[in-house]
Amino acid sequence: MNTRFGTLRALPLAVAASLALWGGAAPAQTQEPINIVINQSPWLEGFANVVDLYQQQTGNSVTLDVNPYAGSLEKQRNAVRAGESEYDILIVNGIFYPEMYEGGFLEPLTDIDPDFTLDPQVYTFDDTLWYDSETKTVNAETGDLLTIPVNPNITMMFYRADLYEKHGLEKPETWDELLANAKAIQEAEGIVGMKQRAARATISISWDYWPYLNSFGGSLFRDESGGDFFVTLNSPEALEALKMYLKIAEEVGPPNPASMDQATLIQYIVTGQAAHAVLPVAAQSQMDDPNKSAVVGKIGYMNLPHAPGHESAPAIGHWLGGVPRNLPDANKQAAVAFLDWFQQPETQIAYAEMGGSPVSAAAYEGAFAEKPENRYMIAMRDALPTARRMWTIPEGAEIVAVTEVGLNRAVAGEIGPVEALNSMAAEIEKIMQDAGFETGRLPDLAD
Amino acid sequence: MSAVTRRIAARRAVTLLLHGALALAAVLTLGPFLWIALASLKTQIALLMGNLAFTPVTMNYAEVLFGNTSTFSTNFLNSVIVASVSTAIALTVGFLAGYSLLRMRWSRAVVNIFLLWTVVFNLVPPVTLAGAWYEVFRMVGLTNSLTALILAHTTLHLPMALWLLSSFLREIPRELEEAAVVDGAGFVRLMRRVVVPIMMPGLVSTGILIFIFSWNEFPVALALTNNHSATVPVGIAKFAQENEIKYTQMAAASVLSAIPALLVLIFCQRFIVKGLTAGAVK
Amino acid sequence: MAMVQASRPVRFLTVLPALLFLVLLSMLPLANLLALSFAKVTWAEGSARWDWVGLANYRALADDALFEAGILNTLILVVSATTLQVGIGLGLALICSRLGRSARAYRTLFLLPILIPGIIIGAIWKLMYNVQFGIINQALALVGLGPVDWLGSSSLALASVIAVDVWHWTPFSFLLLLAAVEALPKDVFEAAQIDGAGAWRTFRRITLPLLWPAIFTTFIFRAIIAFKVFDEVYLLTGGGPGTSTQVISFTIYQRFFVQDSAGYGAAMSVFVMFLVAVVIGVAMTRQKARTR
């Protein structure tokens, strides 16, 4: 399908932008038409607008194959495993990208175009753009550039700024301060202090717990980038983090926290029934829409809390654009041409202005971010450089199945935190052993 | 009061009770349906707030039908094509095979293998077939085509067609066919003049079931289609996004998507009842 | 008994299309599935590598908590949901049939739920079950009860899923059973009435035995579909909380697709198919023995 998406709304902007930046009428097509596989999302319309802009400016043709979120990963797998991929650019999920990297399905961008360089203002999302196929690690120093970010989805703290003002609360730095604020609001307003995403799904509670784990100084493995896959999920730091997670659930969470999924979190926030929730930034578009929200203008955004002496560590759920290896050269060239155009500061600013989610500091540090309706961008400035990836190996998909169940059972009270971490570490060690890694795990935590 | 009038009064009471039971079942059946229809007329926030009183809006239907990123009309057309063509093929193929197996002196072993297969194949979760089918259709160049999905849906529902139609066929007295054969009717004439007319109610009710199953099938359609060939359930799944579930648009889409099946049901009700009385399951 | 005479080509041509579908689109994929179940597939440098691992995939099933929970929950769901559906469906069918023309409108009405795609049913019921805003808790609040966390508490979640399945699929049982009820020979009942048999006795002694084959078939037919339940659970609970609503096709989906363990996922599918086939085989043999 041609990207007729959002043409009406985007047209004046697009025309203005193209006149201002490049000038002149639409030039003739110089590249092969390309086909991009992407999933339906709140940020799709913004992306479709920027694709329209590209077509107008360059005369090159781009189509979007839009799929439901469910099943989009299988579509990409099918494409890269075929003789020739039906897609020229894959928009890969920031959780499942290691499978594409390790399988050798993506061509390094600099192999396609030796002159390609990553614009220095583009955020690098904990180095997840590079992969070293020799050592099989995600590593910016030794790796090849396989993708550029297309969407900056990371988690942020959504909170009731109006209630903070009403009760004279300070933005929390640590988890304990957050707990205190949540308690204060819960007692004064009778709404849930903090909603956590503790439900079990393909990836749900793990994404919610990882920022606790990382911001307490814990980690899944000892040193993934260095190729050391010794399991450290049962460390004292991880236990502290899990205890904090459970404490928040118990003291300021809803009844039955173990069933709270992302949709429920958003529901509680937009109906004014919760004071805090950690949500992906992509959910911010719903907060100020009067058809979707009863708290228009009342939600504030901030970086996640951390343990004293550590950094915040919001979880990465970004989307990466890469070029499959199984394509004719001309298509690869055309794909890289689009990605290169997309990452430029001018495009990124235009992208933000058409309702997109930019990935470059150029957009977040511009005047556009200072507008009240774009207040989330200010928080993103702080949060983006501290965002942390979850894992860098394809076995992550198996590991997360273990952590989803283990963490969820701990929240549901079926097992204690010590037992949860010990059993998860043991299962993860086994997954790693079976996959042929040199591994091991910390001695069991004692009760 | 005479015994007769008492009997009549008791009968009335029972009838009333039975009507009451039906009404209760109808309310339980319709309740969620009405709720979906109401949800489709609310704004998302009105739905989430649980407002009982609300001002109806048409924005959900507008968004579903004409929204910038909506593909619902394409999905709808695709679903109509896939469901009707695959139903037609499954009925034809299933009917021919069913008739042949029951009436044309096939050895018991052959008949049993076929019938056993319909059971075994029914046991496979469709999700696990999707991957293999994708491969098959890619090899013959049918990737993402409606043809591929039609063939897949036909395969999926052929066992049901074969099974149901066989049980209908068993109910038909052979004498009619024998009489026609004695009169010198060939196979085609026999089918056209005798068997198909008698089987019509059975064919229609089996057809309706297959149509509905195909119309609602999700995992296989998800795996085998793209933006151009996606069917209604796949299109509807797009409203359940990673960071936002558009409940009200989903509701509007589901109201719209129930229309064709509803029409079929209303207009073919005569056939269904007839078909049913012919004895679907014995 | 005279058979319809058909020429050889007609005999083969009538079966050929079904045979083609059977071989090309169902046997081949299943053979592929079977082969996969003895292999471990890895992808590197853009190509697949199959390593034969014998029965290792099958042995691994024993240690898989999600598999165990999936089988157990699915069995509970299949037995209870199917029993309820057949029971309610039969009741409605008998009433509809007895009331005749005056119950005509209900026949169409009762079929409505099967018209809605499973994924929508999951999404809509999830909202109806909602603790704070759901219609069910709102209705309970009117009579001073609740709120009940239907999907959130581990002990209730599976029952809530079963209730949705009953709502969705009772029409199916109703449809099939109504057919059987309508086809009952009227004269037997007239005879029973003349004999002065009571309603319950007539039901126990005449209706139920006559309907038994249809009830059995409906049960099996429905149970097979219930065993594959996926769409509804997908949006309703995602298998949680904990593993309380983990159904087997969801486990297969997770292992096979999400984790991309095609070999292991295939082994699980094959094993489940085998298990169900055995259960149904046993049930059918017993049923045959009973009718004889």
Side-chain angles (χ1 to χ4, degrees):
Chain A
M1 170 172 39
N2 235 313
T3 56
R4 56 193 167 77
F5 300 162
T7 318
L8 285 182
R9 216 183 76 195
L11 203 61
L13 271 173
V15 171
S18 62
L19 286 178
L21 296 172
W22 283 272
Q29 172 174 346
T30 53
Q31 300 282 358
E32 285 289 308
I34 55 171
N35 188 14
I36 301 178
V37 61
I38 192 166
N39 66 304
Q40 184 85 28
S41 70
W43 53 274
L44 171 68
E45 191 153 336
F47 188 77
N49 288 344
V50 86
V51 166
D52 277 348
L53 180 62
Y54 177 72
Q55 302 194 90
Q56 284 156 16
Q57 282 177 8
T58 62
N60 295 327
S61 149
V62 180
T63 50
L64 295 181
D65 188 18
V66 184
N67 293 290
Y69 176 65
S72 55
L73 175 64
E74 286 88 81
K75 283 231 166 332
Q76 301 192 359
R77 272 186 195 142
N78 285 338
V80 294
R81 290 171 183 180
E84 185 181 321
S85 168
E86 54 181 305
Y87 305 120
D88 304 296
I89 295 179
L90 305 180
I91 308 292
V92 194
N93 182 306
I95 302 292
F96 292 106
Y97 69 92
E99 167 183 338
M100 293 294 167
Y101 285 11
E102 200 217 43
F105 295 121
L106 300 179
E107 180 107 357
L109 299 176
T110 42
D111 286 4
I112 301 170
D113 176 3
D115 295 333
F116 186 92
T117 50
L118 186 71
D119 185 87
Q121 294 198 78
V122 170
Y123 293 108
T124 56
F125 296 89
D126 207 4
D127 297 343
T128 49
L129 318 182
W130 292 272
Y131 187 72
D132 183 337
S133 55
E134 296 287 310
T135 59
K136 294 193 177 298
T137 52
V138 165
N139 192 320
E141 318 276 287
T142 61
D144 293 317
L145 182 68
L146 288 188
T147 55
I148 68 160
V150 171
N151 176 277
N153 207 18
I154 60 170
T155 52
M156 275 206 298
M157 182 66 76
F158 287 45
Y159 71 102
R160 287 290 293 278
D162 61 325
L163 297 179
Y164 264 60
E165 202 168 320
K166 183 175 164 194
H167 299 287
L169 298 172
E170 294 281 321
K171 280 191 198 176
E173 278 296 318
T174 66
W175 293 105
D176 282 309
E177 289 167 24
L178 169 79
L179 184 62
N181 285 356
K183 236 182 217 164
I185 298 179
Q186 180 165 298
E187 277 158 19
E189 303 285 335
I191 62 176
V192 175
M194 162 97 174
K195 288 278 275 190
Q196 292 163 308
R197 184 183 175 183
R200 204 191 114 222
T202 303
I203 170 158
S204 172
I205 185 171
S206 308
W207 207 42
D208 209 41
Y209 167 71
W210 242 248
Y212 291 72
L213 174 68
N214 286 327
S215 73
F216 271 85
S219 60
L220 173 60
F221 297 117
R222 198 151 52 196
D223 175 19
E224 268 186 279
S225 285
D228 181 350
F229 292 97
F230 185 84
V231 180
T232 54
L233 188 60
N234 55 339
S235 65
E237 291 84 5
L239 182 61
E240 283 308 303
L242 185 54
K243 280 183 173 165
M244 175 57 77
Y245 192 88
L246 297 174
K247 192 172 170 192
I248 290 177
E250 190 178 319
E251 294 184 12
V252 293
N256 291 326
S259 68
M260 295 299 145
D261 58 9
Q262 183 170 276
T264 317
L265 257 63
I266 293 175
Q267 185 180 317
Y268 269 72
I269 286 284
V270 296
T271 54
Q273 295 290 320
H276 299 87
V278 173
L279 287 169
V281 64
Q284 65 81 23
S285 61
Q286 297 162 67
M287 299 299 142
D288 285 350
D289 180 342
N291 285 321
K292 294 176 179 169
S293 164
V295 288
V296 175
K298 293 179 180 169
I299 299 297
Y301 308 93
M302 59 191 172
N303 199 357
L304 301 191
H306 51 81
H310 290 280
E311 262 204 336
S312 294
I316 292 183
H318 60 336
W319 293 84
L320 297 160
V323 183
R325 209 180 271 278
N326 51 345
L327 278 177
D329 274 340
N331 292 54
K332 289 181 186 168
Q333 295 293 347
V336 168
F338 172 79
L339 291 177
D340 193 23
W341 173 86
F342 176 79
Q343 63 151 351
Q344 297 305 322
E346 301 83 2
T347 314
Q348 287 291 311
I349 292 168
Y351 184 35
E353 286 171 356
M354 338 171 126
S357 316
V359 292
S360 166
Y364 290 92
E365 280 159 15
F368 184 72
E370 303 291 341
K371 296 182 185 167
E373 65 268 29
N374 298 324
R375 58 193 181 282
Y376 80 94
M377 294 180 85
I378 310 283
M380 285 286 274
R381 251 185 236 166
D382 297 338
L384 275 166
T386 64
R388 295 278 296 274
R389 63 197 184 207
M390 294 184 68
W391 51 73
T392 59
I393 45 171
E395 285 71 21
E398 263 174 272
I399 291 171
V400 73
V402 169
T403 57
E404 285 291 309
V405 177
L407 293 168
N408 184 253
R409 291 183 70 199
V411 174
E414 289 178 20
I415 48 176
V418 169
E419 189 190 342
L421 290 173
N422 284 339
S423 65
M424 287 190 288
E427 281 184 66
I428 293 168
E429 184 193 13
K430 182 162 183 307
I431 291 172
M432 297 304 284
Q433 271 168 358
D434 290 350
F437 284 88
E438 198 177 306
T439 182
R441 71 174 201 272
L442 291 173
D444 275 353
L445 288 160
D447 264 315
Chain B
M1 212 195 273
S2 75
V4 178
T5 47
R6 215 179 305 140
R7 199 105 150 259
I8 291 174
R11 255 229 170 115
R12 275 220 186 109
V14 169
T15 309
L16 212 65
L17 204 72
L18 294 182
H19 269 290
L22 283 192
L24 179 71
V27 167
L28 289 178
T29 307
L30 273 187
F33 228 90
L34 276 181
W35 202 71
I36 295 172
L38 284 181
S40 73
L41 296 170
K42 292 181 180 180
T43 59
Q44 178 103 346
I45 190 66
L47 179 76
L48 294 184
M49 296 292 276
N51 296 350
L52 290 176
F54 66 99
T55 339
V57 291
T58 53
M59 56 183 286
N60 298 310
Y61 288 94
E63 190 61 36
V64 166
L65 291 173
F66 313 113
N68 285 329
T69 58
S70 166
T71 51
F72 192 77
S73 37
T74 319
N75 301 150
F76 199 86
L77 191 68
N78 290 335
S79 269
V80 171
I81 296 171
V82 170
S84 35
V85 177
S86 72
T87 304
I89 301 178
L91 277 184
T92 313
V93 174
F95 172 74
L96 287 177
Y99 187 83
S100 184
L101 288 175
L102 284 181
R103 300 283 158 96
M104 293 189 188
R105 293 180 198 279
W106 289 95
S107 72
R108 275 216 73 73
V110 175
V111 178
N112 282 341
I113 284 171
F114 255 95
L115 289 183
L116 184 73
W117 183 253
T118 64
V119 179
V120 170
F121 187 69
N122 249 325
L123 301 180
V124 191
V127 271
T128 53
L129 290 169
W133 275 338
Y134 180 88
E135 272 302 303
V136 171
F137 292 125
R138 193 177 55 74
M139 282 190 290
V140 293
L142 285 173
T143 318
N144 294 335
S145 67
L146 287 181
T147 315
L149 188 58
I150 287 169
L151 291 174
H153 274 188
T154 307
T155 315
L156 218 47
H157 302 130
L158 191 57
M160 189 163 74
L162 199 62
W163 196 350
L164 284 179
L165 291 175
S166 306
S167 57
F168 275 110
L169 267 167
R170 283 199 201 97
E171 297 299 307
I172 297 180
R174 283 163 200 271
E175 291 76 18
L176 283 174
E177 292 156 59
E178 279 155 15
V181 172
V182 169
D183 284 353
F187 178 74
V188 176
R189 224 178 101 193
L190 176 70
M191 289 298 115
R192 236 183 41 204
R193 293 287 168 80
V194 182
V195 183
V196 172
I198 302 179
M199 281 287 290
M200 203 34 117
L203 282 168
V204 171
S205 45
T206 308
I208 288 172
L209 268 187
I210 295 179
F211 185 89
I212 291 171
F213 274 77
S214 167
W215 186 268
N216 289 344
E217 196 283 326
F218 174 60
V220 173
L222 179 67
L224 296 184
T225 60
N226 67 0
N227 223 15
H228 302 281
S229 49
T231 54
V232 168
V234 179
I236 288 173
K238 285 187 188 169
F239 296 114
Q241 301 170 3
E242 191 199 7
N243 306 122
E244 179 179 1
I245 299 184
K246 299 186 167 176
Y247 290 107
T248 51
Q249 291 182 24
M250 222 172 181
S254 59
V255 169
L256 292 173
S257 74
I259 290 174
L262 200 60
L263 289 179
V264 169
L265 207 61
I266 290 170
F267 285 110
C268 300
Q269 209 224 349
R270 203 166 48 92
F271 280 110
I272 300 180
V273 176
K274 248 201 214 162
L276 292 172
T277 38
V281 220
K282 270 281 184 109
Chain C
M1 161 173 58
M3 277 275 190
V4 174
Q5 295 296 320
S7 62
R8 223 157 225 287
V10 168
R11 196 161 163 254
F12 278 99
L13 281 177
T14 45
V15 177
L16 186 69
L19 200 66
L20 281 178
F21 273 102
L22 197 146
V23 172
L24 292 179
L25 288 173
S26 67
M27 276 189 178
L28 280 183
L30 279 193
N32 180 51
L33 198 68
L34 193 66
L36 259 180
S37 74
F38 298 107
K40 184 178 166 64
V41 184
T42 43
W43 291 82
E45 299 302 316
S47 59
R49 217 184 76 202
W50 287 45
D51 293 311
W52 297 105
V53 294
L55 289 170
N57 287 330
Y58 289 92
R59 272 198 292 269
L61 289 174
D63 303 326
D64 189 340
L66 283 188
F67 173 71
E68 199 188 307
I71 289 281
L72 199 68
N73 288 328
T74 308
L75 280 177
I76 297 173
L77 184 137
V78 166
V79 171
S80 52
T82 311
T83 309
L84 282 168
Q85 285 156 8
V86 171
I88 299 172
L90 180 64
L92 292 176
L94 287 169
I95 298 176
C96 270
S97 167
R98 174 165 174 168
L99 293 179
R101 294 196 74 82
S102 62
R104 203 74 177 276
Y106 287 111
R107 297 182 175 196
T108 315
L109 198 149
F110 287 150
L111 299 181
L112 286 177
I114 37 173
L115 301 186
I116 308 181
I119 41 162
I120 293 185
I121 288 182
I124 296 293
W125 276 84
K126 190 186 170 90
L127 271 188
M128 299 210 306
Y129 275 137
N130 190 290
V131 184
Q132 287 197 298
F133 324 108
I135 182 84
I136 298 175
N137 278 323
Q138 281 182 342
L140 283 180
L142 286 181
V143 291
L145 293 174
V148 179
D149 196 351
W150 299 100
L151 298 173
S153 87
S154 306
S155 47
L156 263 184
L158 188 60
S160 304
V161 171
I162 290 171
V164 175
D165 196 71
V166 169
W167 181 81
H168 187 187
W169 287 107
T170 298
F172 187 79
S173 308
F174 169 74
L175 192 72
L176 295 186
L177 288 169
L178 183 64
V181 171
E182 301 267 282
L184 286 175
K186 296 278 179 290
D187 44 349
V188 183
F189 291 93
E190 280 157 18
Q193 217 164 29
I194 291 165
D195 284 353
W200 176 245
R201 241 182 92 125
T202 316
F203 177 73
R204 275 298 312 270
R205 294 287 168 83
I206 302 176
T207 317
L208 210 53
L210 280 176
L211 283 179
W212 184 251
I215 294 173
F216 179 79
T217 316
T218 308
F219 192 93
I220 294 288
F221 215 76
R222 214 4 251 150
I224 288 174
I225 301 177
F227 225 98
K228 298 186 285 189
V229 61
F230 177 80
D231 308 10
E232 296 157 21
V233 179
Y234 186 74
L235 278 188
L236 202 56
T237 62
T243 53
S244 56
T245 59
Q246 183 79 28
V247 289
I248 191 64
S249 62
F250 206 69
T251 308
I252 293 175
Y253 170 77
Q254 280 174 323
R255 300 296 190 221
F256 199 107
F257 288 103
V258 180
Q259 293 172 24
D260 203 25
S261 312
Y264 179 61
M268 197 182 288
S269 314
V270 172
F271 183 83
V272 170
M273 278 163 55
F274 180 75
L275 192 76
V276 183
V278 167
V279 171
I280 287 178
V282 169
M284 282 184 150
T285 331
R286 295 190 115 190
Q287 159 70 7
K288 262 197 185 141
R290 189 174 161 164
T291 45
R292 236 166 236 163

